[in-house]
Short mmCIF file of all heavy atoms in Angstrom, two decimals:
data_model
loop_
_atom_site.label_atom_id
_atom_site.label_comp_id
_atom_site.label_asym_id
_atom_site.label_seq_id
_atom_site.Cartn_x
_atom_site.Cartn_y
_atom_site.Cartn_z
N MET A 1 114.42 204.18 121.76
CA MET A 1 114.54 205.41 121.02
C MET A 1 114.25 206.56 121.97
O MET A 1 113.25 206.53 122.68
CB MET A 1 113.55 205.38 119.85
CG MET A 1 113.26 206.72 119.27
SD MET A 1 112.11 206.67 117.91
CE MET A 1 113.26 206.41 116.61
N ASN A 2 115.10 207.57 122.00
CA ASN A 2 114.90 208.75 122.84
C ASN A 2 114.71 209.95 121.94
O ASN A 2 115.59 210.29 121.16
CB ASN A 2 116.09 208.95 123.77
CG ASN A 2 115.84 210.03 124.79
OD1 ASN A 2 114.99 210.89 124.61
ND2 ASN A 2 116.58 210.00 125.86
N ILE A 3 113.55 210.61 122.05
CA ILE A 3 113.26 211.75 121.18
C ILE A 3 113.42 213.10 121.89
O ILE A 3 113.23 214.14 121.27
CB ILE A 3 111.86 211.64 120.56
CG1 ILE A 3 110.76 211.64 121.63
CG2 ILE A 3 111.77 210.41 119.68
CD1 ILE A 3 109.36 211.71 121.06
N GLY A 4 113.79 213.11 123.17
CA GLY A 4 114.05 214.36 123.89
C GLY A 4 112.78 215.13 124.21
O GLY A 4 111.71 214.57 124.38
N GLY A 5 112.90 216.46 124.24
CA GLY A 5 111.78 217.32 124.59
C GLY A 5 111.20 218.03 123.38
O GLY A 5 111.88 218.26 122.38
N GLY A 6 109.93 218.39 123.47
CA GLY A 6 109.24 219.03 122.36
C GLY A 6 109.73 220.42 122.03
O GLY A 6 109.68 220.85 120.88
N ALA A 7 110.22 221.16 123.01
CA ALA A 7 110.65 222.54 122.77
C ALA A 7 111.83 222.62 121.82
O ALA A 7 111.99 223.60 121.10
CB ALA A 7 110.99 223.22 124.09
N ALA A 8 112.66 221.61 121.76
CA ALA A 8 113.84 221.63 120.90
C ALA A 8 113.53 221.23 119.46
O ALA A 8 114.42 221.23 118.62
CB ALA A 8 114.90 220.69 121.47
N ARG A 9 112.29 220.95 119.13
CA ARG A 9 111.93 220.43 117.81
C ARG A 9 111.51 221.49 116.81
O ARG A 9 111.22 221.17 115.66
CB ARG A 9 110.81 219.41 117.94
CG ARG A 9 111.17 218.16 118.68
CD ARG A 9 112.12 217.28 117.93
NE ARG A 9 111.61 216.99 116.61
CZ ARG A 9 112.35 216.57 115.60
NH1 ARG A 9 113.62 216.42 115.74
NH2 ARG A 9 111.81 216.33 114.43
N ASN A 10 111.42 222.76 117.20
CA ASN A 10 111.00 223.83 116.28
C ASN A 10 109.68 223.51 115.59
O ASN A 10 109.53 223.71 114.39
CB ASN A 10 112.08 224.12 115.24
CG ASN A 10 113.33 224.66 115.85
OD1 ASN A 10 113.27 225.43 116.81
ND2 ASN A 10 114.48 224.25 115.34
N ASN A 11 108.72 223.00 116.34
CA ASN A 11 107.37 222.66 115.84
C ASN A 11 107.36 221.54 114.81
O ASN A 11 106.42 221.40 114.05
CB ASN A 11 106.65 223.88 115.27
CG ASN A 11 106.08 224.74 116.35
OD1 ASN A 11 105.78 224.27 117.44
ND2 ASN A 11 105.93 226.01 116.07
N ARG A 12 108.40 220.73 114.73
CA ARG A 12 108.44 219.60 113.80
C ARG A 12 108.07 218.32 114.55
O ARG A 12 108.77 217.92 115.47
CB ARG A 12 109.82 219.46 113.16
CG ARG A 12 110.14 220.61 112.22
CD ARG A 12 111.51 220.46 111.67
NE ARG A 12 112.43 220.50 112.84
CZ ARG A 12 113.72 220.31 112.77
NH1 ARG A 12 114.29 220.06 111.64
NH2 ARG A 12 114.46 220.36 113.86
N PRO A 13 106.98 217.66 114.14
CA PRO A 13 106.58 216.42 114.80
C PRO A 13 107.50 215.26 114.44
O PRO A 13 108.25 215.32 113.46
CB PRO A 13 105.17 216.19 114.29
CG PRO A 13 105.11 216.91 112.99
CD PRO A 13 106.05 218.07 113.10
N ILE A 14 107.42 214.21 115.22
CA ILE A 14 108.17 212.99 114.98
C ILE A 14 107.17 211.84 114.90
O ILE A 14 106.32 211.70 115.78
CB ILE A 14 109.15 212.70 116.14
CG1 ILE A 14 110.17 213.80 116.26
CG2 ILE A 14 109.83 211.35 115.96
CD1 ILE A 14 111.04 213.68 117.49
N MET A 15 107.28 211.03 113.85
CA MET A 15 106.44 209.84 113.76
C MET A 15 107.28 208.63 114.14
O MET A 15 108.37 208.43 113.61
CB MET A 15 105.88 209.61 112.36
CG MET A 15 105.03 208.36 112.30
SD MET A 15 104.19 207.95 110.73
CE MET A 15 105.39 208.29 109.52
N VAL A 16 106.76 207.83 115.07
CA VAL A 16 107.38 206.57 115.44
C VAL A 16 106.35 205.50 115.14
O VAL A 16 105.24 205.52 115.70
CB VAL A 16 107.78 206.54 116.93
CG1 VAL A 16 108.41 205.20 117.29
CG2 VAL A 16 108.73 207.68 117.26
N ARG A 17 106.70 204.58 114.24
CA ARG A 17 105.72 203.60 113.79
C ARG A 17 106.41 202.28 113.47
O ARG A 17 107.55 202.24 113.02
CB ARG A 17 105.05 204.13 112.52
CG ARG A 17 103.97 203.25 112.00
CD ARG A 17 103.29 203.90 110.83
NE ARG A 17 102.31 202.98 110.28
CZ ARG A 17 101.76 203.14 109.13
NH1 ARG A 17 102.05 204.17 108.37
NH2 ARG A 17 100.89 202.26 108.69
N ASP A 18 105.68 201.19 113.68
CA ASP A 18 106.16 199.86 113.34
C ASP A 18 105.83 199.59 111.87
O ASP A 18 104.73 199.19 111.54
CB ASP A 18 105.50 198.82 114.25
CG ASP A 18 105.81 197.40 113.80
OD1 ASP A 18 106.88 197.18 113.23
OD2 ASP A 18 104.95 196.53 114.02
N ILE A 19 106.80 199.82 110.99
CA ILE A 19 106.55 199.61 109.57
C ILE A 19 106.86 198.18 109.13
O ILE A 19 106.47 197.76 108.06
CB ILE A 19 107.32 200.62 108.69
CG1 ILE A 19 108.81 200.51 108.89
CG2 ILE A 19 106.83 202.03 108.96
CD1 ILE A 19 109.63 201.34 107.93
N LYS A 20 107.55 197.44 109.96
CA LYS A 20 107.89 196.05 109.65
C LYS A 20 106.74 195.10 109.97
O LYS A 20 106.61 194.05 109.37
CB LYS A 20 109.15 195.64 110.41
CG LYS A 20 109.68 194.28 110.04
CD LYS A 20 110.98 194.00 110.78
CE LYS A 20 111.44 192.58 110.51
NZ LYS A 20 112.56 192.21 111.37
N GLY A 21 105.91 195.47 110.95
CA GLY A 21 104.75 194.65 111.29
C GLY A 21 104.97 193.65 112.41
O GLY A 21 104.17 192.75 112.60
N ASP A 22 106.06 193.81 113.16
CA ASP A 22 106.30 192.87 114.26
C ASP A 22 106.35 193.56 115.61
O ASP A 22 106.95 193.07 116.55
CB ASP A 22 107.57 192.05 114.02
CG ASP A 22 108.83 192.90 114.04
OD1 ASP A 22 108.73 194.14 114.08
OD2 ASP A 22 109.92 192.31 114.00
N GLY A 23 105.66 194.70 115.72
CA GLY A 23 105.62 195.43 116.98
C GLY A 23 104.95 194.67 118.11
O GLY A 23 105.19 194.95 119.28
N ASP A 24 104.11 193.68 117.76
CA ASP A 24 103.48 192.87 118.80
C ASP A 24 104.47 191.90 119.42
O ASP A 24 104.32 191.47 120.56
CB ASP A 24 102.27 192.13 118.25
CG ASP A 24 102.57 191.32 117.00
OD1 ASP A 24 103.62 191.54 116.36
OD2 ASP A 24 101.74 190.46 116.65
N VAL A 25 105.53 191.55 118.69
CA VAL A 25 106.57 190.64 119.18
C VAL A 25 107.80 191.42 119.66
O VAL A 25 108.37 191.13 120.71
CB VAL A 25 106.98 189.63 118.08
CG1 VAL A 25 108.10 188.74 118.56
CG2 VAL A 25 105.78 188.81 117.63
N ASN A 26 108.21 192.40 118.87
CA ASN A 26 109.37 193.25 119.20
C ASN A 26 108.85 194.65 119.50
O ASN A 26 108.78 195.50 118.61
CB ASN A 26 110.36 193.28 118.03
CG ASN A 26 110.94 191.92 117.74
OD1 ASN A 26 111.42 191.25 118.64
ND2 ASN A 26 110.88 191.50 116.49
N ASN A 27 108.47 194.88 120.75
CA ASN A 27 107.91 196.17 121.17
C ASN A 27 108.87 197.31 120.91
O ASN A 27 110.08 197.14 120.96
CB ASN A 27 107.54 196.15 122.64
CG ASN A 27 106.51 195.10 122.99
OD1 ASN A 27 106.37 194.75 124.13
ND2 ASN A 27 105.76 194.58 122.04
N ILE A 28 108.31 198.50 120.64
CA ILE A 28 109.09 199.71 120.42
C ILE A 28 108.88 200.62 121.62
O ILE A 28 107.74 201.00 121.92
CB ILE A 28 108.67 200.42 119.13
CG1 ILE A 28 108.85 199.49 117.93
CG2 ILE A 28 109.45 201.72 118.96
CD1 ILE A 28 108.19 199.98 116.67
N SER A 29 109.95 200.96 122.31
CA SER A 29 109.87 201.83 123.48
C SER A 29 110.38 203.22 123.10
O SER A 29 111.48 203.36 122.58
CB SER A 29 110.74 201.25 124.61
OG SER A 29 110.68 202.06 125.74
N VAL A 30 109.55 204.23 123.34
CA VAL A 30 109.89 205.61 123.01
C VAL A 30 110.04 206.41 124.29
O VAL A 30 109.07 206.58 125.04
CB VAL A 30 108.81 206.26 122.10
CG1 VAL A 30 109.23 207.67 121.70
CG2 VAL A 30 108.53 205.40 120.88
N SER A 31 111.24 206.89 124.56
CA SER A 31 111.51 207.72 125.73
C SER A 31 111.54 209.18 125.31
O SER A 31 111.93 209.51 124.19
CB SER A 31 112.87 207.35 126.34
OG SER A 31 112.85 206.01 126.77
N PHE A 32 111.13 210.06 126.22
CA PHE A 32 111.07 211.48 125.91
C PHE A 32 111.14 212.28 127.19
O PHE A 32 110.95 211.76 128.29
CB PHE A 32 109.78 211.81 125.14
CG PHE A 32 108.54 211.28 125.79
CD1 PHE A 32 107.86 212.01 126.75
CD2 PHE A 32 108.08 210.02 125.46
CE1 PHE A 32 106.73 211.50 127.36
CE2 PHE A 32 106.94 209.50 126.05
CZ PHE A 32 106.27 210.24 127.01
N THR A 33 111.38 213.56 127.05
CA THR A 33 111.41 214.50 128.17
C THR A 33 110.02 215.11 128.30
O THR A 33 109.37 215.41 127.30
CB THR A 33 112.45 215.60 127.91
OG1 THR A 33 113.71 214.99 127.68
CG2 THR A 33 112.55 216.55 129.08
N GLY A 34 109.56 215.32 129.52
CA GLY A 34 108.24 215.91 129.75
C GLY A 34 107.16 214.85 129.73
O GLY A 34 107.39 213.70 130.09
N THR A 35 105.97 215.26 129.26
CA THR A 35 104.84 214.33 129.17
C THR A 35 104.29 214.34 127.75
O THR A 35 104.52 215.28 126.98
CB THR A 35 103.71 214.72 130.14
OG1 THR A 35 103.23 216.02 129.79
CG2 THR A 35 104.18 214.71 131.58
N ALA A 36 103.54 213.30 127.42
CA ALA A 36 102.84 213.22 126.14
C ALA A 36 101.37 212.94 126.47
O ALA A 36 101.05 211.84 126.92
CB ALA A 36 103.43 212.13 125.26
N ASP A 37 100.53 213.94 126.29
CA ASP A 37 99.12 213.83 126.67
C ASP A 37 98.97 213.39 128.13
O ASP A 37 98.11 212.60 128.47
CB ASP A 37 98.37 212.86 125.76
CG ASP A 37 98.11 213.43 124.37
OD1 ASP A 37 98.28 214.65 124.20
OD2 ASP A 37 97.75 212.66 123.48
N GLY A 38 99.85 213.88 128.97
CA GLY A 38 99.81 213.57 130.39
C GLY A 38 100.49 212.26 130.77
O GLY A 38 100.59 211.94 131.94
N LEU A 39 100.94 211.50 129.80
CA LEU A 39 101.64 210.23 130.06
C LEU A 39 103.12 210.49 130.22
O LEU A 39 103.68 211.35 129.55
CB LEU A 39 101.40 209.25 128.90
CG LEU A 39 99.95 208.93 128.59
CD1 LEU A 39 99.86 208.12 127.31
CD2 LEU A 39 99.32 208.19 129.75
N VAL A 40 103.75 209.73 131.09
CA VAL A 40 105.19 209.87 131.29
C VAL A 40 105.94 208.85 130.44
O VAL A 40 105.38 207.85 129.98
CB VAL A 40 105.58 209.73 132.77
CG1 VAL A 40 104.98 210.87 133.59
CG2 VAL A 40 105.14 208.40 133.34
N SER A 41 107.19 209.12 130.25
CA SER A 41 108.07 208.27 129.46
C SER A 41 108.35 206.95 130.16
O SER A 41 108.44 206.93 131.38
CB SER A 41 109.39 209.03 129.25
OG SER A 41 110.30 208.30 128.50
N PRO A 42 108.48 205.86 129.47
CA PRO A 42 108.38 205.67 128.02
C PRO A 42 106.96 205.28 127.60
O PRO A 42 106.15 204.81 128.40
CB PRO A 42 109.33 204.50 127.77
CG PRO A 42 109.19 203.64 128.97
CD PRO A 42 108.99 204.63 130.12
N ILE A 43 106.68 205.46 126.32
CA ILE A 43 105.48 204.92 125.71
C ILE A 43 105.92 203.72 124.90
O ILE A 43 106.91 203.78 124.16
CB ILE A 43 104.79 205.97 124.82
CG1 ILE A 43 104.16 207.05 125.71
CG2 ILE A 43 103.75 205.33 123.90
CD1 ILE A 43 103.46 208.15 124.97
N VAL A 44 105.21 202.61 125.04
CA VAL A 44 105.58 201.37 124.37
C VAL A 44 104.54 201.03 123.31
O VAL A 44 103.35 200.97 123.59
CB VAL A 44 105.72 200.21 125.37
CG1 VAL A 44 106.11 198.93 124.67
CG2 VAL A 44 106.75 200.56 126.45
N ILE A 45 105.01 200.84 122.08
CA ILE A 45 104.15 200.41 120.97
C ILE A 45 104.18 198.89 120.96
O ILE A 45 105.24 198.28 120.77
CB ILE A 45 104.63 201.01 119.64
CG1 ILE A 45 104.59 202.54 119.72
CG2 ILE A 45 103.79 200.48 118.48
CD1 ILE A 45 105.25 203.24 118.55
N GLN A 46 103.00 198.27 121.15
CA GLN A 46 102.93 196.82 121.32
C GLN A 46 102.06 196.13 120.28
O GLN A 46 101.71 194.96 120.45
CB GLN A 46 102.38 196.48 122.71
CG GLN A 46 103.24 197.00 123.82
CD GLN A 46 102.63 196.74 125.19
OE1 GLN A 46 101.42 196.72 125.35
NE2 GLN A 46 103.48 196.53 126.16
N SER A 47 101.69 196.82 119.21
CA SER A 47 100.84 196.24 118.18
C SER A 47 101.52 196.33 116.82
O SER A 47 102.23 197.30 116.54
CB SER A 47 99.50 196.97 118.11
OG SER A 47 98.82 196.90 119.33
N ALA A 48 101.27 195.34 115.99
CA ALA A 48 101.84 195.35 114.64
C ALA A 48 101.31 196.55 113.86
O ALA A 48 100.11 196.85 113.90
CB ALA A 48 101.48 194.05 113.92
N TYR A 49 102.20 197.26 113.20
CA TYR A 49 101.91 198.42 112.34
C TYR A 49 101.36 199.62 113.10
O TYR A 49 100.91 200.57 112.47
CB TYR A 49 100.97 198.03 111.20
CG TYR A 49 101.54 196.94 110.33
CD1 TYR A 49 101.05 195.64 110.41
CD2 TYR A 49 102.58 197.20 109.45
CE1 TYR A 49 101.59 194.62 109.64
CE2 TYR A 49 103.12 196.19 108.67
CZ TYR A 49 102.62 194.90 108.76
OH TYR A 49 103.15 193.92 107.99
N ALA A 50 101.37 199.61 114.40
CA ALA A 50 100.88 200.75 115.18
C ALA A 50 101.95 201.83 115.26
O ALA A 50 103.13 201.59 114.99
CB ALA A 50 100.49 200.30 116.58
N GLY A 51 101.54 203.02 115.64
CA GLY A 51 102.50 204.10 115.81
C GLY A 51 101.84 205.37 116.30
O GLY A 51 100.62 205.45 116.44
N TYR A 52 102.67 206.37 116.57
CA TYR A 52 102.21 207.67 117.06
C TYR A 52 102.97 208.79 116.37
O TYR A 52 104.14 208.66 116.04
CB TYR A 52 102.46 207.82 118.57
CG TYR A 52 101.63 206.92 119.43
CD1 TYR A 52 102.17 205.77 119.97
CD2 TYR A 52 100.30 207.22 119.70
CE1 TYR A 52 101.42 204.93 120.78
CE2 TYR A 52 99.54 206.40 120.51
CZ TYR A 52 100.11 205.26 121.04
OH TYR A 52 99.36 204.43 121.83
N TRP A 53 102.29 209.90 116.20
CA TRP A 53 102.93 211.17 115.91
C TRP A 53 103.15 211.85 117.25
O TRP A 53 102.21 211.99 118.04
CB TRP A 53 102.04 212.07 115.05
CG TRP A 53 102.07 211.77 113.60
CD1 TRP A 53 101.14 211.07 112.90
CD2 TRP A 53 103.06 212.17 112.66
NE1 TRP A 53 101.50 211.01 111.59
CE2 TRP A 53 102.67 211.68 111.41
CE3 TRP A 53 104.25 212.90 112.76
CZ2 TRP A 53 103.43 211.89 110.26
CZ3 TRP A 53 105.00 213.11 111.63
CH2 TRP A 53 104.59 212.61 110.40
N PHE A 54 104.37 212.24 117.54
CA PHE A 54 104.70 213.03 118.72
C PHE A 54 104.79 214.48 118.24
O PHE A 54 105.72 214.86 117.53
CB PHE A 54 106.03 212.58 119.32
CG PHE A 54 105.93 211.26 120.03
CD1 PHE A 54 105.94 210.07 119.31
CD2 PHE A 54 105.85 211.20 121.41
CE1 PHE A 54 105.86 208.85 119.96
CE2 PHE A 54 105.76 209.98 122.07
CZ PHE A 54 105.77 208.80 121.34
N ASN A 55 103.79 215.27 118.60
CA ASN A 55 103.70 216.66 118.17
C ASN A 55 104.20 217.57 119.29
O ASN A 55 103.67 217.51 120.41
CB ASN A 55 102.25 217.00 117.83
CG ASN A 55 101.72 216.08 116.75
OD1 ASN A 55 102.05 216.22 115.59
ND2 ASN A 55 100.90 215.11 117.13
N PRO A 56 105.20 218.40 119.03
CA PRO A 56 105.80 219.21 120.10
C PRO A 56 104.90 220.36 120.54
O PRO A 56 104.17 220.94 119.74
CB PRO A 56 107.08 219.74 119.46
CG PRO A 56 106.80 219.74 118.01
CD PRO A 56 105.86 218.60 117.74
N LEU A 57 104.98 220.66 121.81
CA LEU A 57 104.30 221.82 122.39
C LEU A 57 105.36 222.83 122.84
O LEU A 57 106.48 222.44 123.20
CB LEU A 57 103.46 221.38 123.59
CG LEU A 57 102.28 220.46 123.27
CD1 LEU A 57 101.68 219.90 124.55
CD2 LEU A 57 101.24 221.21 122.46
N PRO A 58 105.05 224.12 122.85
CA PRO A 58 106.02 225.14 123.25
C PRO A 58 106.58 224.96 124.65
O PRO A 58 107.70 225.37 124.94
CB PRO A 58 105.24 226.45 123.14
CG PRO A 58 104.12 226.17 122.21
CD PRO A 58 103.78 224.72 122.40
N ASN A 59 105.81 224.32 125.54
CA ASN A 59 106.28 224.14 126.92
C ASN A 59 107.22 222.95 127.08
O ASN A 59 107.63 222.62 128.18
CB ASN A 59 105.09 224.02 127.88
CG ASN A 59 104.27 222.75 127.66
OD1 ASN A 59 104.59 221.93 126.81
ND2 ASN A 59 103.21 222.62 128.42
N GLY A 60 107.56 222.28 125.98
CA GLY A 60 108.49 221.16 126.03
C GLY A 60 107.84 219.80 126.09
O GLY A 60 108.50 218.78 125.99
N ASN A 61 106.53 219.77 126.26
CA ASN A 61 105.80 218.51 126.30
C ASN A 61 105.36 218.11 124.89
O ASN A 61 105.70 218.76 123.92
CB ASN A 61 104.60 218.61 127.24
CG ASN A 61 105.03 218.77 128.68
OD1 ASN A 61 105.98 218.16 129.13
ND2 ASN A 61 104.32 219.61 129.41
N TRP A 62 104.57 217.06 124.79
CA TRP A 62 104.11 216.52 123.51
C TRP A 62 102.61 216.27 123.56
O TRP A 62 102.05 216.04 124.61
CB TRP A 62 104.79 215.18 123.24
CG TRP A 62 106.27 215.22 123.21
CD1 TRP A 62 107.12 214.99 124.27
CD2 TRP A 62 107.09 215.47 122.09
NE1 TRP A 62 108.41 215.09 123.86
CE2 TRP A 62 108.44 215.38 122.53
CE3 TRP A 62 106.85 215.76 120.76
CZ2 TRP A 62 109.52 215.58 121.68
CZ3 TRP A 62 107.92 215.96 119.91
CH2 TRP A 62 109.24 215.87 120.38
N TYR A 63 101.97 216.29 122.41
CA TYR A 63 100.63 215.70 122.30
C TYR A 63 100.71 214.64 121.22
O TYR A 63 101.51 214.72 120.29
CB TYR A 63 99.54 216.75 122.05
CG TYR A 63 99.49 217.37 120.68
CD1 TYR A 63 98.71 216.81 119.67
CD2 TYR A 63 100.20 218.53 120.40
CE1 TYR A 63 98.66 217.40 118.41
CE2 TYR A 63 100.15 219.11 119.15
CZ TYR A 63 99.38 218.54 118.16
OH TYR A 63 99.33 219.12 116.92
N LEU A 64 99.92 213.60 121.38
CA LEU A 64 99.99 212.43 120.53
C LEU A 64 98.83 212.39 119.54
O LEU A 64 97.74 212.82 119.84
CB LEU A 64 99.92 211.15 121.38
CG LEU A 64 101.02 210.94 122.39
CD1 LEU A 64 100.72 209.70 123.24
CD2 LEU A 64 102.37 210.79 121.70
N SER A 65 99.10 211.84 118.38
CA SER A 65 98.05 211.43 117.44
C SER A 65 98.52 210.13 116.81
O SER A 65 99.72 209.86 116.74
CB SER A 65 97.77 212.51 116.40
OG SER A 65 98.95 212.93 115.76
N THR A 66 97.59 209.30 116.40
CA THR A 66 97.98 208.00 115.86
C THR A 66 98.54 208.14 114.46
O THR A 66 98.16 209.03 113.71
CB THR A 66 96.79 207.02 115.85
OG1 THR A 66 95.71 207.60 115.13
CG2 THR A 66 96.36 206.68 117.26
N ALA A 67 99.45 207.25 114.13
CA ALA A 67 100.10 207.28 112.82
C ALA A 67 99.55 206.19 111.94
O ALA A 67 99.11 205.19 112.38
CB ALA A 67 101.61 207.10 112.99
#
């Protein structure tokens, strides 16, 4: 999944979450432009039912919070 850069989101966050419960077996890879809390793309969700809110920043980067 590619979510692009934060600046193009008009302050609307994106939630990426494993709602099926098999993220530990079928990892979810999230690609993006810029950084998310200083981390570079991609971020991989590797736990069942885990997820993140990708909150856009004006400079085009992201900050993360758990979903």
Side-chain angles (χ1 to χ4, degrees):
M1 162 180 272
N2 188 339
I3 62 172
R9 294 291 306 160
N10 295 323
N11 282 334
R12 292 178 299 176
I14 298 172
M15 179 177 42
V16 179
R17 183 175 176 195
D18 172 30
I19 60 172
K20 187 177 175 189
D22 65 352
D24 53 344
V25 177
N26 297 309
N27 299 162
I28 301 168
S29 180
V30 184
S31 298
F32 51 88
T33 304
T35 62
D37 287 346
L39 303 172
V40 295
S41 180
I43 289 180
V44 180
I45 299 170
Q46 300 176 328
S47 300
Y49 301 105
Y52 292 102
W53 279 101
F54 287 79
N55 302 285
L57 295 170
N59 66 2
N61 293 321
W62 302 92
Y63 73 91
L64 299 174
S65 53
T66 55

